[in-house]
Amino acid sequence: MTVSIPSFTGDADPFGGGDPYADYRTADFPFVHYADLADRRLGAAVIAANDEFFAERENMLKPGPAEFDPERFGHKGKIMDGWETRRRRGVSAARPHPTEDDHDWALVRLGAPGVVRGIVVDTAHFRGNYPQAVSVEAASVPGSPSPEDLLGGDVKWTTLVRRTAIGGHAANGFAVDVEQRFTHLRVNQHPDGGIARLRVYGEVAPDPAWLAALGTFDVVALENGGQVEDASDRFYSPATNTIQPGRSRQMDDGWETRRRRDKGNDWIRYQLVEQSAIRAVEIDTAYLKGNSAGWAAVSLRDGEKGEWVEVLPRTRLQPDTNHRFVLDAPAVGTRVRVDIYPDGGISRLRLFGSLTAEGASRLAARHQELGG
């Protein structure tokens, strides 16, 4: 079931100069605390589109908001920071308009398979050239299918967003309630137009067979099914950055809190992929030089109500440094809390271990429930 958020449907005014985002329309969507499954850092890609005459399909997954330069034109017209198709036409002078079924489409491979909780179709700066409506379908296809494979008749597509009118120069949000695991999306715009950004919020649902083959792996990594449950502060950057793939590339590619003026401390709480035995911890403060956390401690608990057990005592951190700690004995649990003192930030957290027998069993059962 899809629940649209209709407050932002309708026309946008022409750009009148000044700040192009001054009249941009958005909202506090209830699902944006989930990870973006269409994040390029996870390996997401727009692998095909039927048309991208004015602006390339890959722009939809670029990080950050869309940019707008009112004076930038190319050989094909206005250069837009998004995916934009040409204007559709009918078949003859007697029938100049596109049919009700005419539409453009793009195929998106999610960076990690998962359960979709919400979608944002952002039409920033598309004021007179946004789609009349959009729809989104999803499929679960193993391996690395080609566009031709996905467009074949044997792929089952499930509707996540029914055909819905949207607004220009706005973030159009849709809450999704389909408890299935998906690997690919088909984004449709009716009949044509432009989409600046696509965000697909949800929970990663990893393949248990792959994790079993790995043996020891990062049990809190986003791509392996870990997630951030909560954090004390998200002022400068999201806590989810700490479990993204790869090393941090710049200061805002980690987690940084505002400056504390009390005697407390900041923290992040994580949920592991499933119950795991952790053997080693990595805390990286890359690019955090004058604002890295001073000290950090790591605690673990099993289940939602278990007792927190400290597995790494409060330890001094160095700026712009990757710190590695081997635990004296494997620590078993499902949730982890990292406390930093008193404030500041870390860029990445890695928890190396393996699933317990109980954790592996529960993960396999969940995979079956989601249609894996």
Side-chain angles (χ1 to χ4, degrees):
M1 184 180 79
T2 303
V3 179
S4 64
I5 302 172
S7 309
F8 308 101
T9 58
D11 292 334
D13 293 329
F15 176 58
D19 178 8
Y21 274 105
D23 59 341
Y24 175 75
R25 295 163 293 171
T26 186
D28 293 326
F29 300 121
F31 44 73
V32 295
H33 62 284
Y34 290 104
D36 181 8
L37 302 179
D39 194 320
R40 280 290 297 167
R41 289 174 294 180
L42 280 176
V46 186
I47 61 174
N50 72 304
D51 185 287
E52 48 185 332
F53 184 85
F54 286 115
E56 297 84 357
R57 63 185 190 250
E58 289 88 355
N59 288 336
M60 284 196 294
L61 304 190
K62 287 169 62 176
E67 299 178 356
F68 180 73
D69 182 348
E71 298 181 356
R72 192 177 180 207
F73 286 82
H75 294 294
K76 294 182 179 180
K78 182 74 185 71
I79 295 176
M80 297 295 291
D81 186 12
W83 168 48
E84 185 182 4
T85 66
R86 73 193 79 199
R87 300 186 188 218
R88 280 185 170 268
R89 298 291 187 241
V91 296
S92 67
R95 291 188 292 168
H97 303 291
T99 70
E100 187 68 15
D101 294 330
D102 286 342
H103 67 277
D104 293 320
W105 54 264
L107 296 177
V108 177
R109 182 189 67 234
L110 298 179
V115 181
V116 178
R117 300 301 185 193
I119 294 174
V120 173
V121 177
D122 191 337
T123 57
H125 315 304
F126 287 93
R127 296 171 178 268
N129 50 350
Y130 61 92
Q132 181 183 33
V134 296
S135 60
V136 181
E137 302 159 282
S140 182
V141 183
S144 303
S146 68
E148 292 74 22
D149 294 333
L150 293 169
L151 295 172
D154 57 343
V155 174
K156 177 187 176 184
W157 292 93
T158 299
T159 299
L160 299 188
V161 178
R162 65 184 183 276
R163 183 169 175 170
T164 306
I166 63 170
H169 197 44
N172 301 272
F174 305 90
V176 177
D177 184 19
V178 178
E179 203 69 15
Q180 289 181 244
R181 177 183 185 269
F182 296 112
T183 61
H184 294 78
L185 299 186
R186 185 163 60 192
V187 180
N188 306 303
Q189 45 179 341
H190 307 267
D192 53 39
I195 296 171
R197 296 290 187 267
L198 175 73
R199 304 298 186 227
V200 183
Y201 297 99
E203 300 173 66
V204 175
D207 182 353
W210 175 253
L211 297 183
L214 294 179
T216 297
F217 60 94
D218 183 359
V219 298
V220 76
L222 183 60
E223 60 188 328
N224 293 333
Q227 59 182 297
V228 170
E229 283 191 327
D230 202 0
S232 60
D233 187 291
R234 298 178 174 88
F235 189 83
Y236 286 114
S237 45
T240 302
N241 282 351
T242 61
I243 54 175
Q244 289 280 4
R247 299 292 184 192
S248 174
R249 296 168 296 175
Q250 58 188 32
M251 193 173 71
D252 67 349
D253 191 20
W255 172 62
E256 182 190 356
T257 72
R258 73 191 83 194
R259 300 189 187 207
R260 273 194 173 264
R261 303 306 187 196
D262 59 23
K263 300 300 181 183
N265 73 281
D266 288 315
W267 50 267
I268 307 177
R269 191 172 70 243
Y270 304 88
Q271 182 175 312
L272 307 182
V273 54
E274 245 301 343
Q275 187 187 69
S276 304
I278 299 170
R279 299 178 181 85
V281 176
E282 212 175 79
I283 300 175
D284 196 352
T285 59
Y287 293 99
L288 296 163
K289 298 181 179 181
N291 48 1
S292 68
W295 293 262
V298 179
S299 301
L300 182 70
R301 78 177 181 187
D302 195 28
E304 295 184 14
K305 299 180 180 179
E307 293 293 325
W308 287 105
V309 177
E310 191 174 71
V311 297
L312 179 69
R314 193 179 305 185
T315 302
R316 188 73 169 94
L317 299 181
Q318 300 300 319
D320 196 25
T321 300
N322 191 32
H323 309 76
R324 289 177 170 175
F325 309 95
V326 176
L327 303 185
D328 293 335
V332 175
T334 62
R335 285 168 172 77
V336 163
R337 190 183 71 234
V338 174
D339 288 277
I340 63 170
Y341 300 88
D343 56 19
I346 61 175
S347 62
R348 294 291 189 270
L349 172 72
R350 305 296 186 215
L351 302 175
F352 296 103
S354 55
L355 294 172
T356 64
E358 181 180 343
S361 176
R362 289 201 297 247
L363 186 66
R366 175 66 171 157
H367 189 66
Q368 287 297 113
E369 289 175 5
L370 297 175

